[in-house]
Amino acid sequence: MAQSSSNSRRLTLFVSAVAAMLVLVIIGVVIIPRLRTRPSSATTTADTAICPTTNVTRLPQDSGNFKTGFIYQVMLDRFFNGDPTNDNPPGDQGLNDPTHQNWKLYWGGDLKGLTEKIPYIAGMGASAIWISPPVENVTKPLDFGDGNGPQAGYHGYWAQDDYQIDPHLGTWADFDTLVATAHQAGLKIMVDFAANHSNPSDLGQFGAIYKNGVQLAAYNNDPNNWFHHAPSITNFNDQYDLEYQSLEGLADFAQENPAVDAYLKGAIAQFMAHGVDGIRFDAVKHMPGPTGGWLRTVADSIEATGSHYLVGEWQTTDPTDLTYPASVRFANNSGISLLNFPIYNAIDDAYARGNLIGPVEINSVLQQEEQDFTWMNDQANFIDNHDVARFLTARNDKNALHAALAVVMTIPGIPIVYYGTEQYLHNDTQGGGDPYNRPMMTSFDTTTPAYKLLHCLGTLRDTNPALPYGNYTLLHVNRSQYVYQRQFGQSVVVVAVNSSDSAVTVPAEQSALPAGTYKDYLSGAFHGGTLTVGNGGAIASFSLPANAIAIWQYQAQTPASPLIGTIGTTLTHPGDTLVVDGQGFASGATLMIGQHAAAITANTAQSITATVPTMPGGDYQVTVCQASQCSPGYPLVVASAPQVPMTITVNGLPTLTPEEQVYMTGAVAELGGGSTAPTAAIGPMITSGQASNPSRFLLVSLPACQTLSFSFEIVHLGGAIDAEGTTHTLTTPCSGETTATYNWGVPK
Ligand code: NOJ
């Protein structure tokens, strides 16, 4: 660091440094012991001592709060074989390959294997595990005639029975042991669930779907309309095609069918009853309804059972992608956050593919998303996963991998790390995509630099609220330098990454760090040095060595006024339990949702549990107040009542051009709260035919058991609106699902 040459400035810096040290000591001795500690059995301190590891105290860890720590993504079949007796379960018809030659068959990993490795995962600083779909997949090998030979649902995305555990992976008892062991080690479990489809429609089981071994439907004999019978999607920009055609030949569930709705919700409810903390929803772009539609009703039913983290896979490229606006609307309304594909692409471009602008791209995507997403810190970031080439396949450079990991662990959002990344696992066959991005885990070494880096940054996310809850400020970026700050209240983390092979000089910056001297949190293991901060947070120009990752952090004492860091759901309804985590919640605090007081049932300095009162649906700001000091507002969507799906059709529309869209608008929050603006009204309604088709339909998430008034409207390119001038009414079911059909301009 460049130093001031004046003696008095040195003295000031010295005094400030001592003051800062004192504050840190006070935090260490007085504040931290009040917080919860990670069970000591879960840590592997000896191997990972590049940052403080003993008696590390954690921010609140209630089930819906996935922001602290990070999520470790595991493909169960490829992780660890803890029970060789289930490799060839009864009924297995050649689905297992013990030689690991056929990459599309089962290789032996299972629930017991993952359970055995819980200490390894907890020791890495993870706070949650995302497991591949554990439900029973197709029981016959599928041969697509593509030269790949027989294939199995080893990955979990070809469900045959969503109510049973795949016998290659274990039993419900094994599942329960996994959940209990994980919880004991301070880890949450997130289950991957494919609600969009069952299994391939044109061979093998022909999409057949079972409940506890009893067949309910099949694609090739479907009298009760469990499936959409349509070709595979070719136009990935058409909403109808995305939702009602098949994804890669998989039998596409008709979620608008009440029997399908009940089947899928029942299977998810079973997982919740087995204690899981979150769901990763597969292929959310392909299920019906904008603003979440059917999935919003699923999220609402899950959150009614407690606080959980829900995240969906919506594949998109960047904010210019045609489906990006719909993805934003989904994340802001459905109760389900998104896997952040635009950030994945930007990190991949910057660090794995060597784009010309480096992390400048990451920063610009982040700044755009911060404007678009209501809950930026809830979206999930990753550097690779089971559907794309592993980072080291794209660029076999550990320094670059470490830089990407440091960034993904510290920018706004919940980090996800794909299994084996910490062991530098990769297989580059045919470009390393699916299935070669799913090798068997071969080592569990707790001394690799990547493991240590994750351990430290996971621990920091668990302890300094600036990372899980804080805002983001860019300090400096160019092609190889990326310096930014995260801040929550007075707690601050500054990150500096140099991804070039030579030392660079970072220009002077203004930070929120109190004046003082800060040691690199990674103890220089990644070439970071000590940072001196002057009065007012001034950081003088400093040198950053080649491939350096430096982390400087400050944890403030409990703030005088309350601050909300997270609410364990983004969608709720009256009667639901809300868990609000943050700082400075003294007993006697009040919790307001807009102007509505919520009854508090539990209150610690960092966490409040309350019940959502009877109140109208809408978008609200939550505040915690005490002694006339109130926190800034934290956004929350309150649904009017428990949600039910309903498919609405309108016939007899005037002739429309491709640019004209039909929306629904009504007084209730679920229909836009009286607004006709297309950003608030519900739509666009869709059609399987040409734009001139006089009919449109839509699956909408609505409050149960209510009679509602609404109208249709036509929105022109440029925003002009043709009001229908007619009011319709609909009565929603008290449970289950239904349909209703109307004619444009005809009262009913
Ligand atoms: C996305 C999953 O991540 C991918 O692995 C799967 O093949 C498809 N959805 C279909 O389920």
Side-chain angles (χ1 to χ4, degrees), residues 28 43 46 53 144 174 195 241-242 274 311-312 322 329 342 376 462 559 625:
T43 56
T53 52
F144 291 85
D174 296 334
D241 291 8
L242 287 175
H274 281 267
V311 66
L322 280 179
R329 197 162 183 202
M376 191 62 200
D462 242 358
C625 300

Side-chain angles (χ1 to χ4, degrees), residues 157 197 247-248 250 280 282-283 313 315 386-387 438:
Y157 297 103
H197 52 261
L247 179 64
E248 299 160 0
L250 294 160
R280 180 265 188 190
D282 190 52
E313 178 216 26
Q315 293 201 15
H386 62 300
D387 290 331
R438 303 160 182 189

Side-chain angles (χ1 to χ4, degrees), residues 38 56-61 65-71 125-127 376-381 405-416 454-470 486 493 521 551 553 555:
R38 184 190 278 274
V56 168
T57 48
R58 309 176 81 188
L59 295 163
Q61 297 291 313
N65 181 355
F66 272 52
K67 292 190 176 81
T68 67
F70 67 94
I71 301 171
S127 52
M376 191 62 200
N377 279 328
D378 280 86
Q379 314 310 315
N381 298 323
L405 284 176
V407 167
V408 86
M409 291 289 291
T410 53
I411 57 175
I414 300 174
I416 301 179
L454 290 170
H455 166 85
C456 288
L457 295 180
T459 305
L460 189 59
R461 291 188 64 83
D462 242 358
T463 52
N464 188 325
L467 288 181
Y469 307 149
R486 305 293 310 283
V493 173
Y521 176 75
I551 309 281
Q553 63 121 7
Q555 289 183 44

